Amino acid sequence: MKALTDREREILVAIGQGWTNGEIAAHFVVAESTVKSHVRSILAKIGARDRIQAVIIAYDLGLTRPKPG
């Protein structure tokens, strides 16, 4: 697994919390296309096929936890 940038790590945490690309873009005040680029880069770096696998990896790395109830 290649190292993530700080921004990629932040976006991976947001993905792990179930945020959509639009929600991530609004939160970080960037274009949705920028988020999509970050997501593609994250998936490639962590070796994930899709966002679901990225969430699992985020949990495994301790970057995020499931929200209660």
Side-chain angles (χ1 to χ4, degrees), residues 3 10-11 14 30 36 38-39 42 49-50 56-58 65 68:
E10 291 170 332
I11 290 175
V30 296
K36 289 178 183 180
H38 283 303
V39 171
I42 291 164
R49 326 181 263 285
D50 54 31
I56 293 166
I57 292 169
R65 308 229 352 113

Side-chain angles (χ1 to χ4, degrees), residues 42-55:
I42 291 164
L43 295 179
K45 285 183 177 181
I46 66 174
R49 326 181 263 285
D50 54 31
R51 288 173 79 105
I52 294 170
Q53 195 173 26
V55 170

Side-chain angles (χ1 to χ4, degrees), residues 10-21:
E10 291 170 332
I11 290 175
L12 180 55
V13 169
I15 291 169
Q17 294 173 344
W19 294 10
T20 65
N21 287 346

Side-chain angles (χ1 to χ4, degrees), residues 6-34:
D6 291 341
R7 179 57 61 138
E8 288 169 341
R9 187 176 313 277
E10 291 170 332
I11 290 175
L12 180 55
V13 169
I15 291 169
Q17 294 173 344
W19 294 10
T20 65
N21 287 346
E23 291 168 332
I24 295 168
H27 179 79
F28 291 109
V29 192
V30 296
E32 196 166 337
S33 60
T34 301

